[in-house]
Structure formats: structure tokens, C-alpha cells
Amino acid sequence: MQLKELSRLRQAVVLGATAILAVGVVGCSSSDDSAGSDSGATSSAAVSSEKRTFEAQNGAIEIPAEPQSIVACGYAVLPLIQAKANLSAVCEWTREVDNMDAETKAAYDALPKVAQDADISTLNYEGVSAANPDLIIMGVPARAQSMVDMDKLQSLAPVVFLGPKAPGEWRTLGEQFADAAAVSDNYGEFKQQYDDKAAQIAAKYKDSLGTLTFGGVCDTCAGDPGEFYREFASSYTTNLFDDLGLQFPGQPADPANVHGEFVSTEQIAAGLGTVDVIVYGVGPDGKVSPELQALMDSPLWKSLPAVQAGNVVPVQHALAATYQTALLALDSIDEGLSKLPANKQ
């Protein structure tokens, strides 16, 4: 069995991922930094004099009680747009562009972009300064904190670092992003809808599917030729099933990988030959990615008991990382589960 470390997955998946990052140094002098810091501090004090202490991964941070100019990156981007936070600039977040409704997409397009998607090494510190922030929320993967020039960012505004260590953490992190941005009430609406729908789906399939075992395949995780990314619980696609009471047994051979691993296609039977149902991501239009199509064209895939039995579940909006877009994924999951043979008897 051929395995790769999770860090390489995050480089391959459009997440990032699903997540990769190095520090990008913008060419500007220390005197420029000081000027940006002074300007930002003066503006921030004018619009947000009341402060509060916020517990972040980088410590207890004094932030504005009602931030008026927020720069957000990584997983913080979409939930804060959806919750109508006071954003002045964001890092690119193209992985969910196809999940956005027209209003959200228009708001995303209108915001200045200060870093390329999934690559915090391209962070434009001058662009952040130009946004005149009174709060910076970094939602890039947790291991990237040491790769960000925190001193430079902190000279511009208070920095709240809240990065995921595993894909399924978008649930708790989204609420923390909204809390820091003082828009929890707006974000909570989607959470309640999600919780209600997840509970309905869990109850709907408890009797017919509760004893079955599930396994996952990442649709956009490009490894070397002849391998695929096998997902366990709480991974890129499978985390959308976390609240449905279904069983995703097993774990990666290397515990450091946490939720999934690259496996040689020749070993697919060892990885997925014993599960009853296989789930995998597809695009919002239902199309299969080239990476996944190559796997599905393999006779080894076609020989899997779950595939032969028709026990496969394609998941649209599989990259969802907010409650609002996860609602779309739950609709797709519900439809896929309803078509399994166990629900047609």
C-alpha cells in the first residue's frame, strides 16, 4: 500500500483541502509598515473604541466589540460573507464559488482579494493595510500559522487565528468566526436549519442503513498515477455524514493523517472491499472529476462489492464548509441514500 502524508493532499485539493501554505513576503520597507500600522490604528480607534477579549488559537486577543472593517482568509471567508459581516477584503475562496447563490457570489466578487486561493504565501500585506482593517481573521489550516508573518499582520490590526486541523471542524470554526465578527445571530439561522435537516435524515435512514458500513473517496484529491485518496470519518466528503448516525469504520495506517490516506489502486479491495456503501464527491452539476473518473474506469473499482451492488452515493456540494452550503449537500445525500437498494426493499 502506497501512502502519502496529508500535507501533500492539502496541496493537491482545491482548498486548498479539503487542508499547503508558505509565507509570501511583500516588498515594502519597515517605514512603510509603520505608516500602515499608524493609519490602521487611528482608523480602528475611530470606529471601534469598545474592546473585548476573544480566545483564539493564538491566545487571548483584544478585538473590537463591533468590528467595522474585517479582512478574512481561508475558511473564514464564506461564513462571514453569508452572515453579512463587515468585510473590507478577503483571500480568494474559489473552492466554493459554485456553491454560492447570486447574492453571495456578488458580495464575494465585490471584495478586494489579498491572497490567491489556498496559498497564503501570496498574502499581500500592503493590500491588507489598504483595507484599513480593525480586525483580521485568519481561517487557514492550523499548521500554517507559523508560515504567516504574524508580527506584520498584528502591526495592522488585531489578528484572530482560527484554523482547522481536520475538514469537519468547519462547524465549530464557523461559529467562532461569526462570534469574532459580531454576527452570530445571522450565522445561527443556518445552523438551526442544518441541525433540523440532519436530524430528519438520520431518523429517516436509521432502520434501513444503521447497520451498514460506509467508506469514502475524495473526488478532487490528486495523487500520483495509480492511487486514490481513501476517506475515513470526518474527511473532506465524509464529514458531511458526521451528523447522520452512519458508520465510517477504520483509520489511516499513519495516525498523523487523521482522516484519510493515499492508497495504491491495486490495494483498493483492502481499503474499500469490506464496506457496504461508498460515498464520493461530485461537482454541483453532478459531474465526476477527471481524477475520480480514472478510478471508476478501473476494473478494480468495478469489482468492489459495494459498486457491484449499486451501493454508491454521489455527493454534490461535497466541498461545503458552512452550514448554508452544507444544507445543499444534505439534499444531495438524502437523494443518494434514498436510491440505495436497502431503501427500495
Side-chain angles (χ1 to χ4, degrees):
M1 179 179 297
Q2 184 178 11
L3 306 179
K4 301 289 184 295
E5 294 184 357
L6 183 57
S7 59
R8 203 191 73 199
L9 169 65
R10 289 297 184 97
Q11 294 170 347
V13 182
V14 184
L15 289 177
T18 329
I20 56 189
L21 307 170
V23 174
V25 179
V26 176
C28 57
S29 68
S30 58
S31 60
D32 290 339
D33 290 343
S34 298
S37 175
D38 292 341
S39 173
T42 300
S43 175
S44 297
V47 298
S48 53
S49 58
E50 186 178 349
K51 305 291 184 181
R52 67 184 177 111
T53 301
F54 186 89
E55 294 293 336
Q57 291 172 359
N58 56 319
I61 311 299
E62 290 295 309
I63 67 172
E66 298 287 339
Q68 300 300 305
S69 179
I70 302 169
V71 173
C73 289
Y75 280 75
V77 172
L78 187 52
L80 293 184
I81 292 176
Q82 291 173 337
K84 296 179 171 56
N86 293 321
L87 293 167
S88 54
V90 297
C91 297
E92 289 183 347
W93 186 251
T94 60
R95 60 171 276 184
E96 286 191 83
V97 164
D98 291 336
N99 291 341
M100 298 178 187
D101 58 30
E103 180 183 3
T104 303
K105 179 66 161 53
Y108 170 79
D109 287 342
L111 287 164
K113 308 303 187 294
V114 294
Q116 296 176 13
D117 194 25
D119 189 359
I120 204 64
S121 72
T122 64
L123 184 63
N124 184 341
Y125 295 88
E126 290 179 330
V128 175
S129 179
N132 209 11
D134 59 357
L135 179 63
I136 299 169
I137 302 179
M138 299 296 291
V140 298
R143 64 181 171 277
Q145 181 176 345
S146 63
M147 305 176 189
V148 175
D149 192 333
M150 294 292 284
D151 289 340
K152 184 175 289 188
L153 284 182
Q154 288 166 343
S155 75
L156 303 176
V159 179
V160 165
F161 197 101
L162 295 167
K165 298 178 181 178
E169 291 182 358
W170 63 261
R171 292 166 174 79
T172 54
L173 288 176
E175 295 179 64
Q176 291 177 288
F177 298 143
D179 181 13
V183 289
S184 293
D185 289 345
N186 295 344
Y187 190 72
E189 173 188 355
F190 306 123
K191 181 182 186 303
Q192 189 59 55
Q193 292 178 30
Y194 172 88
D195 288 343
D196 290 345
K197 179 170 286 189
Q200 292 170 4
I201 295 174
K204 181 178 179 180
Y205 298 110
K206 179 179 179 180
D207 293 337
S208 60
L209 304 179
T211 61
L212 301 183
T213 57
F214 289 69
V217 175
C218 179
D219 62 318
T220 56
C221 304
D224 291 336
E227 64 182 16
F228 70 101
Y229 193 78
R230 198 281 204 222
E231 298 188 81
F232 299 95
S234 300
S235 190
Y236 300 105
T237 308
T238 60
N239 87 84
L240 297 169
F241 292 78
D242 283 355
D243 302 311
L244 304 183
L246 302 174
Q247 303 177 55
F248 284 81
Q251 58 187 5
D254 182 353
N257 289 333
V258 184
H259 53 79
E261 62 191 4
F262 280 103
V263 180
S264 167
T265 303
E266 295 179 354
Q267 299 297 319
I268 194 170
L272 294 171
T274 59
V275 299
D276 299 310
V277 182
I278 299 173
V279 306
Y280 55 88
V282 295
D285 57 2
K287 293 183 179 179
V288 175
S289 69
E291 296 89 349
L292 185 55
Q293 189 61 59
L295 177 67
M296 290 181 164
D297 288 340
S298 166
L300 295 173
W301 168 269
K302 296 175 182 179
S303 67
L304 291 171
V307 175
Q308 292 187 339
N311 283 336
V312 294
V313 178
V315 181
Q316 292 172 285
H317 309 286
L319 291 178
T322 69
Y323 285 112
Q324 188 175 5
T325 50
L327 284 164
L328 301 175
L330 287 184
D331 286 337
S332 176
I333 290 171
D334 187 11
E335 180 181 359
L337 294 177
S338 71
K339 296 177 180 178
L340 293 178
N343 290 312
K344 293 183 179 180
Q345 296 177 356

